[in-house]
Coordinates of all heavy atoms in Angstrom, one line a residue:
G1 N -9.5 -29.6 -19.9 CA -8.4 -28.7 -20.1 C -8.8 -27.3 -20.5 O -8.2 -26.3 -20.1
L2 N -9.9 -27.2 -21.3 CA -10.4 -25.9 -21.7 C -10.9 -25.1 -20.6 O -10.7 -23.9 -20.4 CB -11.5 -26.1 -22.8 CG -11.0 -26.6 -24.2 CD1 -12.2 -26.8 -25.1 CD2 -10.1 -25.6 -24.8
Q3 N -11.7 -25.7 -19.7 CA -12.2 -25.0 -18.5 C -11.1 -24.6 -17.6 O -11.1 -23.6 -16.9 CB -13.3 -25.8 -17.8 CG -12.9 -27.1 -17.2 CD -12.6 -27.0 -15.7 OE1 -13.1 -26.0 -15.1 NE2 -11.8 -27.9 -15.2
L4 N -10.0 -25.4 -17.6 CA -8.8 -25.1 -16.7 C -8.2 -23.8 -17.3 O -7.8 -22.9 -16.5 CB -7.8 -26.2 -16.8 CG -6.7 -26.3 -15.7 CD1 -7.3 -26.4 -14.3 CD2 -5.8 -27.5 -16.0
G5 N -8.0 -23.7 -18.6 CA -7.4 -22.6 -19.2 C -8.3 -21.3 -19.1 O -7.8 -20.2 -18.8
L6 N -9.6 -21.5 -19.2 CA -10.5 -20.3 -19.0 C -10.4 -19.7 -17.6 O -10.6 -18.5 -17.4 CB -11.9 -20.7 -19.4 CG -12.9 -19.5 -19.5 CD1 -12.5 -18.6 -20.7 CD2 -14.3 -20.0 -19.7
S7 N -10.2 -20.6 -16.6 CA -10.1 -20.1 -15.3 C -9.0 -19.2 -15.1 O -9.0 -18.3 -14.2 CB -10.0 -21.3 -14.3 OG -8.8 -21.9 -14.4
L8 N -7.9 -19.3 -15.9 CA -6.8 -18.4 -15.9 C -7.0 -17.2 -16.6 O -6.6 -16.1 -16.2 CB -5.5 -19.1 -16.4 CG -5.0 -20.3 -15.6 CD1 -3.9 -21.0 -16.4 CD2 -4.4 -19.7 -14.3
L9 N -7.7 -17.3 -17.8 CA -8.0 -16.1 -18.6 C -9.1 -15.3 -18.1 O -9.0 -14.0 -18.1 CB -8.3 -16.6 -20.0 CG -7.2 -17.2 -20.9 CD1 -7.8 -17.8 -22.2 CD2 -6.2 -16.1 -21.2
A10 N -10.1 -15.9 -17.6 CA -11.3 -15.1 -17.1 C -11.8 -15.7 -15.8 O -12.8 -16.4 -15.7 CB -12.4 -15.2 -18.2
P11 N -11.1 -15.4 -14.7 CA -11.5 -15.9 -13.4 C -12.8 -15.3 -12.8 O -13.3 -15.8 -11.8 CB -10.3 -15.6 -12.5 CG -9.7 -14.4 -13.1 CD -9.9 -14.5 -14.6
G12 N -13.3 -14.3 -13.5 CA -14.5 -13.7 -13.0 C -14.3 -12.9 -11.7 O -13.3 -12.2 -11.6
R13 N -15.2 -13.0 -10.8 CA -15.1 -12.3 -9.5 C -14.1 -12.9 -8.5 O -13.7 -12.3 -7.5 CB -16.4 -12.1 -8.8 CG -17.4 -11.4 -9.7 CD -18.7 -11.2 -8.9 NE -19.7 -10.4 -9.7 CZ -20.9 -10.1 -9.3 NH1 -21.4 -10.6 -8.1 NH2 -21.7 -9.4 -10.0
L14 N -13.7 -14.1 -8.8 CA -12.7 -14.8 -8.0 C -11.3 -14.4 -8.3 O -11.0 -13.9 -9.4 CB -12.8 -16.4 -8.2 CG -14.2 -17.0 -7.9 CD1 -14.1 -18.5 -8.3 CD2 -14.6 -16.9 -6.4
R15 N -10.5 -14.6 -7.3 CA -9.0 -14.4 -7.5 C -8.6 -15.5 -8.4 O -9.1 -16.6 -8.4 CB -8.3 -14.4 -6.2 CG -8.6 -13.3 -5.2 CD -7.8 -13.5 -4.0 NE -6.4 -13.5 -4.2 CZ -5.5 -13.8 -3.3 NH1 -5.9 -14.1 -2.0 NH2 -4.2 -13.9 -3.5
R16 N -7.6 -15.1 -9.3 CA -7.1 -16.1 -10.3 C -6.7 -17.4 -9.6 O -6.9 -18.5 -10.1 CB -6.0 -15.5 -11.1 CG -5.5 -16.4 -12.3 CD -4.7 -15.6 -13.3 NE -5.5 -14.9 -14.2 CZ -5.8 -13.6 -14.2 NH1 -5.2 -12.9 -13.3 NH2 -6.5 -13.0 -15.1
E17 N -6.0 -17.3 -8.5 CA -5.5 -18.5 -7.8 C -6.7 -19.4 -7.3 O -6.7 -20.6 -7.4 CB -4.7 -18.1 -6.6 CG -4.1 -19.2 -5.7 CD -3.4 -18.8 -4.5 OE1 -3.2 -17.6 -4.4 OE2 -3.0 -19.6 -3.7
T18 N -7.7 -18.7 -6.8 CA -8.9 -19.4 -6.3 C -9.7 -20.1 -7.4 O -10.1 -21.2 -7.4 CB -9.9 -18.5 -5.5 OG1 -9.2 -17.9 -4.5 CG2 -11.1 -19.2 -5.0
A19 N -9.8 -19.3 -8.5 CA -10.5 -19.9 -9.7 C -9.8 -21.1 -10.3 O -10.4 -22.1 -10.7 CB -10.7 -18.8 -10.8
L20 N -8.4 -21.0 -10.3 CA -7.6 -22.1 -10.8 C -7.7 -23.3 -9.9 O -7.8 -24.4 -10.4 CB -6.2 -21.7 -11.0 CG -5.2 -22.7 -11.5 CD1 -5.6 -23.2 -12.8 CD2 -3.8 -22.2 -11.5
R21 N -7.8 -23.1 -8.6 CA -7.9 -24.2 -7.7 C -9.2 -24.9 -7.9 O -9.3 -26.2 -7.9 CB -7.7 -23.7 -6.3 CG -7.6 -24.8 -5.2 CD -7.6 -24.3 -3.8 NE -6.5 -23.4 -3.6 CZ -6.7 -22.1 -3.3 NH1 -7.9 -21.6 -3.2 NH2 -5.7 -21.3 -3.2
E22 N -10.3 -24.2 -8.0 CA -11.6 -24.8 -8.2 C -11.7 -25.5 -9.6 O -12.2 -26.6 -9.7 CB -12.7 -23.7 -8.1 CG -12.9 -23.1 -6.7 CD -14.0 -22.2 -6.6 OE1 -14.7 -22.0 -7.7 OE2 -14.3 -21.6 -5.6
A23 N -11.1 -24.9 -10.6 CA -11.2 -25.5 -11.9 C -10.3 -26.8 -11.9 O -10.6 -27.7 -12.6 CB -10.7 -24.5 -13.0
A24 N -9.2 -26.7 -11.2 CA -8.3 -27.9 -11.2 C -9.0 -29.1 -10.5 O -8.8 -30.2 -10.9 CB -7.0 -27.5 -10.5
W25 N -9.7 -28.8 -9.4 CA -10.4 -29.9 -8.7 C -11.5 -30.5 -9.6 O -11.6 -31.7 -9.7 CB -11.0 -29.3 -7.4 CG -11.9 -30.3 -6.7 CD1 -13.3 -30.1 -6.4 CD2 -11.6 -31.6 -6.2 NE1 -13.8 -31.1 -5.8 CE2 -12.8 -32.1 -5.6 CE3 -10.5 -32.3 -6.2 CZ2 -12.9 -33.3 -5.0 CZ3 -10.5 -33.6 -5.6 CH2 -11.7 -34.1 -5.0
K26 N -12.3 -29.6 -10.2 CA -13.3 -30.1 -11.1 C -12.7 -30.8 -12.3 O -13.1 -31.9 -12.7 CB -14.2 -28.9 -11.6 CG -15.4 -29.3 -12.5 CD -16.1 -28.1 -13.0 CE -16.7 -27.3 -11.9 NZ -17.4 -26.1 -12.4
G27 N -11.6 -30.3 -12.9 CA -11.0 -30.9 -14.0 C -10.4 -32.2 -13.7 O -10.4 -33.1 -14.5
A28 N -9.8 -32.3 -12.5 CA -9.2 -33.6 -12.1 C -10.2 -34.7 -12.0 O -10.0 -35.8 -12.4 CB -8.5 -33.4 -10.7
R29 N -11.4 -34.4 -11.5 CA -12.5 -35.4 -11.5 C -13.0 -35.8 -12.9 O -13.2 -36.9 -13.1 CB -13.6 -34.9 -10.6 CG -13.3 -34.8 -9.1 CD -14.5 -34.5 -8.3 NE -15.0 -33.2 -8.6 CZ -16.2 -32.7 -8.3 NH1 -17.1 -33.6 -7.8 NH2 -16.6 -31.5 -8.5
L30 N -13.0 -34.8 -13.8 CA -13.4 -35.1 -15.1 C -12.3 -36.0 -15.8 O -12.7 -37.0 -16.5 CB -13.6 -33.8 -15.9 CG -14.8 -33.0 -15.7 CD1 -14.7 -31.6 -16.3 CD2 -16.1 -33.7 -16.3
A31 N -11.1 -35.6 -15.5 CA -10.0 -36.4 -16.1 C -10.0 -37.8 -15.5 O -9.7 -38.8 -16.2 CB -8.6 -35.7 -15.8

């Protein structure tokens, strides 16, 4: 959940939508 939230706050060089999608996929596997 924390890495999901950070992808929204600080997506880095990625677009926020892309960062969220990648974080959601990773987070879903962790969950």
Side-chain angles (χ1 to χ4, degrees):
L2 291 174
Q3 65 96 24
L4 196 63
L6 189 64
S7 71
L8 291 170
L9 286 172
R13 297 182 179 180
L14 299 175
R15 294 179 57 189
R16 185 166 275 102
E17 180 184 352
T18 303
L20 178 60
R21 189 184 304 114
E22 292 184 3
W25 170 242
K26 185 184 297 183
R29 289 189 293 159
L30 285 167

